[in-house]
Every structure is written in structure tokens, then in C-alpha cells.
Amino acid sequence: MTGTLVLAGTPIGDVADAPPRLAAELEGADIVAAEDTRRLRRLTQALGVHTTGRVVSYFEGNESARTPELVEALAGGARVLLVTDAGMPSVSDPGYRLVAAAVEKDIKVTAVPGPSAVLTALALSGLPVDRFCFEGFLPRKAGERLGRLREVADERRTLVYFEAPHRLDDTLAAMADVFGAERRAAVCRELTKTYEEVKRGGLGELAAWAAEGVRGEITVVVEGAPEAGPGELDPAELVRRVQVREEAGERRKEAIAAVAAEAGLPKREVFDAVVAAKNADRTVPADGKGLS
């Protein structure tokens, strides 16, 4: 008989949030694969449990190499418990490769549900939660980050991101540029910990706040794009949407046509808005002899 792969959620801050089944799985697993074995040791000490099985590291750097070893153990009947530093394995953490490999071998995969920064931040954000999408971490490079944001500029579902504190101000500024400074958002910091904080406001306001420096684990929740009816989008928003499409690689003609269709407007109206914005951006040279 083959074994079982168990994905276990771990506390995102307060150790008291650990699911009751976690202790039993830690004590009964043949192998515990941990993203950070030192954090695992601290967790077991806090829970007052002792692992009897073999403990191995399973993190981004060795995930590809260690997966076949764990699948072999599972095929031989072992019960393998996978835990990450916080939250559920596979959600912006190691785990996907192992799950996919186990499924391919018809090995049973189950889970011990636990705390989730994504769902906790959504619940606390005050933004719509009936439909949402999780975008994980954005690229570190500015150009790639902007490109990723432009891909979801018109996404109507609430968006959830993870971000490092030292990049938060740049990320919020980029979001304000692509989504609009008034788009509502919530920055959730140190969830379930002593200094938990949820800062809500427009993206422009939040970017200015973050410029002063923010610490801790960060989850950002952003309101989805508004679902405007025919004629409800102002010219500046029409121009922004055309620019987003152009920067994503569309020709201006196609971008204008697509935005007009989305807004329920004649193409000529969107075209005129783009031309007016272009003319407004022109400046008078110092010598006063015409426009640049």
C-alpha cells in the first residue's frame, strides 16, 4: 500500500492558532518535510510535541531535488507531513511540486486546514470578498512589476498580494500608477501578532504612508476595478485604460476599440479623450516658439 502526503497549515503569527490535528500529525508522521527545520523545532517546542519521524528540509532551493526522494518514500507506504514557515503549503510556499508528483503516482494527498494570511487579510480588509484572486508576490524588478500589474488593471475581483516590507512603498506607488490613486486598498501587517495593524485607504494615500517605512509580514488587499456602466468612465480613466493596453503590447487603434467596447462608448469618444490628453501633456518651450 502507498502512503499519504499530509499538507498541514501552521500559525501565521499566534501559535495558539495551530489546528488541533497538527500536533498529532507531527508526532505520528514517518517523515516531516519542513521549509525551515529551525522554525519547525520552535513550533514543536511551543506546542509541547515531539516528532518521532525523520525530519528533512524542503524549501525552494532543494524542492526539485528532494521531491523524488519523498515520492519514493510515499510509494513505499510512508506518511509524509509537509509544513512551511507559516500558513498552508503550496500557497506562495513549497509544496506544489510534491503534490503534483504524488497525484501523478496515485498517492493519497490530504490536508490539515490551518491559518491563512490570504483569507485573514481579506476578512479584515473591509473590501468585497465574494470574488477574489490571489496574485502572490510581485516581481522585484520595477519593469516586470508594472507589467504584472497592467495584466490585472481591469480585473474586477478583489486582488490579494504578499510583499516584503522594504518594497512596499514602491509596490503601492506602482499600484497607484496602474490602478489609480483612489482605488481602495488595505495593507495588513503582522496578522495575529502583537503589533497587528490594518491600514486602509486609497492606493496613493497608502503609498505616501509606506514611504515612511513599514516593518513586518505584509499582505496587501486591493479593490477590483469598478464595473462602470455606459458613459460612466471619465476621460482620464478611458485614457488610463488605453495606456495600460498599449504598454501591454496592443496597438493604439486596437486598444481604443477594446476600451470603447468595455465602456459602451463610440470609438470616436475614446479617441478624442486620448488626443486631448496627449495635447494637454505638451509643454511650451523656453523660447516660446511653438509646442514640443
Side-chain angles (χ1 to χ4, degrees), residues 91-153:
V91 182
S92 276
D93 279 328
Y96 165 75
R97 288 186 178 89
L98 182 55
V99 172
V103 169
E104 186 177 351
K105 297 291 184 181
D106 291 324
I107 295 168
K108 181 180 178 180
V109 181
T110 188
V112 177
S116 165
V118 175
L119 297 181
T120 303
L122 275 166
L124 295 177
S125 69
L127 298 172
V129 297
D130 54 332
R131 298 175 67 228
F132 68 90
C133 57
F134 175 57
E135 288 289 306
F137 283 95
L138 287 166
R140 297 182 181 183
K141 294 182 178 179
E144 295 176 4
R145 180 169 57 232
L146 281 172
R148 186 73 59 82
L149 290 172
R150 286 165 184 151
E151 290 177 5
V152 294

Side-chain angles (χ1 to χ4, degrees), residues 154 225-226 233 236-245 259 262:
D154 296 325
L233 295 178
E237 177 63 15
L238 295 173
V239 172
R240 186 193 68 80
R241 292 193 176 195
V242 171
Q243 289 174 337
V244 167
R245 287 181 170 276
V259 171
E262 290 172 356

Side-chain angles (χ1 to χ4, degrees), residues 2 6 8 36-37 63 70 91 101 124 143 174 197 205 230 279 281:
T2 58
V6 183
D36 187 325
T37 56
E63 190 175 1
L70 293 176
V91 182
L124 295 177
E197 179 182 21
E205 173 190 351
N279 290 336
D281 286 341

Side-chain angles (χ1 to χ4, degrees), residues 129-240:
V129 297
D130 54 332
R131 298 175 67 228
F132 68 90
C133 57
F134 175 57
E135 288 289 306
F137 283 95
L138 287 166
R140 297 182 181 183
K141 294 182 178 179
E144 295 176 4
R145 180 169 57 232
L146 281 172
R148 186 73 59 82
L149 290 172
R150 286 165 184 151
E151 290 177 5
V152 294
D154 296 325
E155 174 59 63
R156 291 174 180 167
R157 293 172 294 178
T158 298
L159 301 160
V160 185
Y161 295 89
F162 288 159
E163 190 52 279
H166 62 279
R167 291 196 297 268
L168 180 62
D169 56 340
D170 288 338
T171 291
L172 290 172
M175 287 178 172
D177 181 44
V178 175
F179 299 154
E182 301 304 315
R183 179 86 69 90
R184 294 187 300 163
V187 176
C188 304
R189 186 179 73 85
E190 293 290 88
L191 289 172
T192 77
K193 299 179 183 178
T194 302
Y195 298 104
E196 176 181 283
E197 179 182 21
V198 180
K199 186 75 172 177
R200 304 175 183 88
L203 283 168
E205 173 190 351
L206 291 174
W209 164 76
E212 299 177 5
V214 178
R215 295 181 179 181
E217 301 284 339
I218 304 292
T219 305
V220 180
V221 185
V222 184
E223 181 181 32
E227 187 173 354
E232 291 183 7
L233 295 178
D234 61 29
E237 177 63 15
L238 295 173
V239 172
R240 186 193 68 80

